[in-house]
Amino acid sequence: MTDDALIATLPRATLRLQLNKDFTFAQARARIPYFAQLGISHLYLSPILTARAGSIHGYDVVDHSAINPELGGENEFRALVAALRAQHMGVIVDIVPNHMAVGGNDNRLWLDVLEWGAESRYADFFDIDWDVPDPALKNRLLAPFLGKPYGDALQAGEITLHFDATNGRFAFHYYDHYFPVAPQTYAQLLRFGGDILATQAQRFRSIQHERAGTRSSHFAEDCAALSEDVSRNDEINAALQALLQRFNGGGDVDKKSADKNAGQLLHQLLQRQHYRLASWRTAADEINWRRFFDVIQLAGIRVQAPAAFEIVHATTLRLYAEGLIDGVRVDHIDGLSYPRDYCHRLRTRLKRLTAARPLSAAAGQAYFIVEKILAPDERLPRDWRVDGTTGYSFMNEVGALLHDARGETTLADCWADLSGRADDFGVEMKRARRRILRDLLAAEFSACAYALHKIARDDIATRDWSLFSIRRTLAELLIQFPIYRTYADASGRSSADNEIMHNAIADALPECRPSDAALLDHIDNWLGREPPRHIASRLRRQARLRAIARFQQLSAPLAAKAVEDTAFYRYSKLLSRNEVGAIPTQFSLAPEEFHRELSRRAANFPRAMLATATHDHKRGEDLRARLAVLSEVPEVWREHVRQWREMNSRHKIEPREWPQAVDEYMLYQMLA
């Protein structure tokens, strides 16, 4: 192997490309000579697996088995890699193991779950809670994809029953959404077609009595037979069309009566499905499956399940084995139940495949980094076997280095004068956390509280702790939580995580009722202080692990939504420090501190990615650098703001004095 080929073993300089239908593999390939002249060693690609049609980012994957045809498909990807290899350049791809796009009609795994419910072969692929207190969702999942309340959508005729003659299947349609009809209801549905469809109805009755493992294949055969009957027999086709008209409001002379009857028929059939159609507004309060943050079009994956891991990574691992990629960037690692176990499994698989790679591929182990935002004094666990993070910490350190500490007091005073608030980002963050728990993540919070309540009820020593007491105590703990999440598992918590939880509980204790102090101690124990593996009962051990996962998968999105999407827009001492991964409470960083951080990273994660911008940042590098200059001339800035406010006061909109002072100050910073 030549020395040039060895360059691609470890990334020296990466260039991230955001691929989509408007910037494809072919367009990227045309620019490779320019990238090579810049000194780029690796292209760092946004997700390349099949995403929802028209996706501009690729994080809404609908099919892990193929490379996105909108980007050019696998042939164009191979051409891109060949051109890169000719320049001795490598490829890193972004992978998304935490979630998939759902809704619509393009995710066959999700549609299978809607069709078969808990019997689906993919029921454990998605993170669905089939056992919730709400009887309306017992063994069903909430489908909050309606644009209006369910009753209104039904009355308006927006939910309709359809039959696909190509595959012999029934489904409800709601604009672009597709909801398969449960196989167990086909016999009853076809009886509405009268004697003409009696034979077909009888054919599907056997599904009720078959073993779960054989139902799917026999159902497919029955659907194929129905499709053939409809295509060959005009009488059967006419009866089927009449059936659909009856359900969709076209079966009576009186239109009003027809619509009413159709709505009742549709509702009765919908009540027997494995899902409950609902308005999107119900998701925050009632959803019983994990989302990506509060996005109902992105459903969480149980990638810890071996079958799910294989589905999600099959194409990525094949591309690595064939020498077409040299590393991975794992998106949203904190969304997974057990990140350490996941990283170990993926590293092991990559390591096994290294020997099978062609000689033309980069030598050495795969480059493996994770997207992880670290809180102040938080360190990436070294036992994860990853090369480091995607560079948020370095971006924060470089940004802080550019700020003059001497300007902080004046800028803080300026902010306090304008906003009428104290210069305390922590206060804004805790307010935001409380609001997010109440409004956006209420369902996830309820699921966590319910998981803890089940543990309490199962022990005579704790059975008297009510669900409401657990909710109010858990809320205070989450509001005080200082980092994105801990990483407890069957072995309990690490010493570092124990210290974090200890401090969070100490901060939450004064905010709790005195009578709940003992409950706070129990919650600490349930969430990993006592290792679940020490519990003899399998059911109790599983309940602990479930509660731990619920807590850790709630604290991470809570932190992100509260900090990045809320507090950053309510606090603006200087917007250049309001950045993803940045620490607003750390205004500046002295050169010697900066170098200490670099030395620590070099010792622990010498292969970590260093970035000054990411695809998630709020403001670009140049904008942040210009804003940092204000820390060097704070008095000049303060005087200009005073003049601008005076000059523009007459333009404010009555009677509420819009824009408010906080927004006005942010606007001046952006204009500057």
Side-chain angles (χ1 to χ4, degrees):
M1 186 173 291
T2 67
D3 290 340
D4 286 339
L6 289 173
I7 292 174
T9 302
L10 179 67
R12 179 185 65 253
T14 62
L15 179 77
R16 186 184 188 277
L17 295 183
Q18 178 59 66
L19 300 167
N20 51 54
K21 62 183 178 62
D22 297 319
F23 189 78
T24 64
F25 295 135
Q27 290 165 297
R29 187 173 77 246
R31 291 162 172 77
I32 288 176
Y34 171 64
F35 299 154
Q37 288 179 353
L38 291 177
I40 301 301
S41 69
H42 287 66
L43 286 191
Y44 165 29
L45 303 180
S46 62
I48 64 172
L49 300 184
T50 303
R52 177 149 286 164
S55 174
I56 62 171
H57 49 75
Y59 290 92
D60 44 359
V61 175
V62 294
D63 184 2
H64 294 98
S65 68
I67 293 179
N68 196 341
E70 287 193 346
L71 307 182
E74 185 156 332
N75 287 339
E76 284 293 339
F77 179 68
R78 287 178 179 275
L80 170 65
V81 174
L84 287 168
R85 296 305 189 211
Q87 297 285 345
H88 308 300
M89 295 168 68
V91 184
I92 301 165
V93 295
D94 202 340
I95 63 173
V96 191
N98 176 66
H99 56 266
M100 282 186 86
V102 296
N105 64 353
D106 49 4
N107 186 333
R108 65 178 181 84
L109 280 65
W110 178 255
L111 295 178
D112 195 86
V113 173
L114 292 179
E115 188 170 50
W116 290 97
E119 285 186 16
S120 168
R121 72 190 76 178
Y122 305 112
D124 290 333
F125 179 89
F126 296 101
D127 198 353
I128 301 167
D129 191 348
W130 297 100
D131 181 22
V132 294
D134 184 355
L137 290 175
K138 194 73 172 179
N139 289 319
R140 303 171 79 194
L141 60 85
L142 186 73
F145 299 104
L146 305 182
K148 59 179 64 171
Y150 168 76
D152 293 348
L154 204 60
Q155 187 175 14
E158 295 174 352
I159 304 170
T160 52
L161 180 65
H162 291 253
F163 176 76
D164 187 341
T166 62
N167 60 24
R169 279 174 155 84
F170 289 96
F172 300 99
H173 288 196
Y174 176 77
Y175 295 100
D176 295 334
H177 294 287
Y178 177 94
F179 303 98
V181 170
Q184 297 89 338
T185 63
Y186 270 50
Q188 182 186 33
L189 172 58
L190 286 166
R191 283 203 295 271
F192 282 91
D195 293 340
I196 297 173
L197 297 180
T199 300
Q200 286 71 26
Q202 183 63 30
R203 183 186 295 148
F204 284 97
R205 284 177 61 87
S206 62
I207 293 174
Q208 303 285 358
H209 310 293
E210 292 179 1
R211 290 184 292 109
T214 61
R215 284 181 181 177
S216 180
S217 59
H218 289 173
F219 174 66
E221 294 171 2
D222 292 342
C223 288
L226 177 60
S227 177
E228 186 173 354
D229 289 346
V230 171
S231 65
R232 291 186 175 185
N233 189 311
D234 291 341
E235 190 177 21
I236 291 177
N237 183 41
L240 186 60
Q241 296 307 316
L243 181 155
L244 294 174
Q245 287 181 354
R246 187 174 178 184
F247 274 81
N248 294 330
D252 295 322
V253 176
D254 181 5
K255 182 68 168 63
K256 187 173 183 180
S257 174
D259 289 343
K260 183 178 180 181
N261 291 336
Q264 291 173 344
L265 286 176
L266 278 174
H267 173 64
Q268 290 168 6
L269 184 58
L270 281 163
Q271 286 294 93
R272 301 189 61 210
Q273 304 307 308
H274 299 298
Y275 46 83
R276 180 169 76 83
L277 294 188
S279 161
W280 64 273
R281 294 182 184 278
T282 65
D285 297 325
E286 297 185 342
I287 201 165
N288 63 331
W289 42 275
R290 184 170 58 85
R291 305 169 285 173
F292 174 69
F293 294 104
D294 59 336
V295 183
I296 58 173
Q297 289 81 20
L298 297 174
I301 297 171
R302 296 183 68 252
V303 76
Q304 68 271 24
F309 182 92
E310 295 303 321
I311 291 172
V312 170
H313 297 91
T315 301
T316 299
L317 292 172
R318 175 176 63 81
L319 296 177
Y320 178 72
E322 293 181 22
L324 295 172
I325 64 173
D326 306 301
V328 293
R329 177 262 196 198
V330 177
D331 180 63
H332 195 52
I333 193 72
D334 276 344
L336 309 186
S337 292
Y338 306 110
R340 178 176 55 189
D341 291 350
Y342 168 83
C343 290
H344 285 194
R345 181 181 295 179
L346 184 54
R347 173 62 84 187
T348 299
R349 292 294 296 278
L350 290 168
K351 190 173 182 180
R352 287 176 185 168
L353 294 171
T354 299
R357 284 162 61 82
L359 294 176
S360 59
Q365 71 174 9
Y367 190 57
F368 180 6
I369 54 173
V370 295
E371 183 207 26
K372 164 68 181 166
I373 293 176
L374 297 166
D377 301 322
E378 184 185 7
R379 305 297 175 195
L380 183 70
R382 296 184 65 182
D383 64 351
W384 281 13
R385 298 174 61 190
V386 300
D387 291 308
T389 70
T390 54
Y392 288 116
S393 297
F394 181 74
M395 187 167 72
N396 168 60
E397 292 151 12
V398 170
L401 180 67
L402 296 178
H403 289 71
D404 190 335
R406 293 170 296 183
E408 181 177 11
T409 300
T410 301
L411 291 172
D413 291 343
C414 183
W415 160 249
D417 291 344
L418 279 165
S419 65
R421 307 174 191 172
D423 175 32
D424 192 337
F425 181 77
V427 170
E428 293 292 349
M429 181 178 64
K430 289 172 185 177
R431 285 176 183 160
R433 280 175 173 265
R434 195 175 295 278
R435 175 184 169 273
I436 298 298
L437 274 182
R438 184 190 67 227
D439 297 341
L440 293 184
L441 300 178
E444 289 80 358
F445 173 65
S446 294
C448 183
Y450 179 63
L452 291 169
H453 187 236
K454 288 183 73 173
I455 296 171
R457 279 289 172 89
D458 198 38
D459 189 333
I460 59 174
T462 58
R463 63 182 293 179
D464 281 352
W465 290 111
S466 69
L467 177 61
F468 289 100
S469 64
I470 289 174
R471 286 178 64 90
R472 64 175 175 259
T473 307
L474 175 64
E476 295 304 334
L477 175 60
L478 285 163
I479 288 164
Q480 301 296 329
F481 213 68
I483 62 173
Y484 272 60
R485 60 168 287 174
T486 52
Y487 299 96
D489 54 21
S491 300
R493 294 193 296 251
S494 67
S495 57
D497 281 351
N498 266 327
E499 183 178 356
I500 288 165
M501 184 65 81
H502 175 79
N503 293 335
I505 286 175
D507 290 338
L509 191 58
E511 307 299 326
C512 293
R513 296 181 181 181
S515 58
D516 289 339
L519 175 57
L520 200 55
D521 185 66
H522 286 304
I523 290 175
D524 179 24
N525 195 50
W526 297 334
L527 292 178
R529 188 180 69 199
E530 178 186 16
R533 68 180 182 184
H534 291 174
I535 299 171
S537 166
R538 181 180 63 85
L539 291 177
R540 287 187 174 187
R541 187 165 60 250
Q542 289 177 341
R544 290 283 185 97
L545 289 170
R546 187 67 170 168
I548 288 170
R550 285 291 181 222
F551 178 80
Q552 294 179 153
Q553 288 177 307
L554 170 59
S555 66
L558 173 62
K561 295 297 291 185
V563 175
E564 299 164 23
D565 294 346
T566 307
F568 275 1
Y569 295 95
R570 295 179 175 179
Y571 174 89
S572 60
K573 179 167 64 180
L574 198 57
L575 290 176
S576 47
R577 296 303 294 141
N578 288 18
E579 190 51 77
V580 180
I583 306 167
T585 54
Q586 181 189 47
F587 184 78
S588 61
L589 195 65
E592 55 272 18
E593 293 177 292
F594 177 75
H595 287 293
R596 274 197 295 271
E597 289 297 330
L598 297 188
S599 298
R600 183 181 292 110
R601 185 179 294 106
N604 296 325
F605 292 100
R607 295 162 60 98
M609 183 175 281
L610 307 181
T612 51
T614 75
H615 66 285
D616 279 329
H617 68 235
K618 307 291 185 184
R619 299 171 183 87
E621 301 150 295
D622 54 345
L623 192 153
R624 281 181 270 126
R626 287 195 293 270
L627 281 173
V629 175
L630 299 181
S631 67
E632 300 175 26
V633 288
E635 294 292 352
V636 174
W637 168 249
R638 186 174 188 175
E639 177 57 24
H640 275 75
V641 170
R642 186 193 64 76
Q643 293 175 16
W644 293 333
R645 293 194 71 212
E646 184 177 325
M647 178 177 67
N648 292 322
S649 61
R650 61 190 179 90
H651 299 295
K652 288 201 170 188
I653 299 172
E654 298 291 347
R656 298 189 65 186
E657 292 291 315
W658 291 104
Q660 293 182 336
V662 171
D663 301 320
E664 185 180 359
Y665 189 49
M666 290 186 182
L667 181 60
Y668 290 146
Q669 291 186 52
M670 293 302 293
L671 289 172

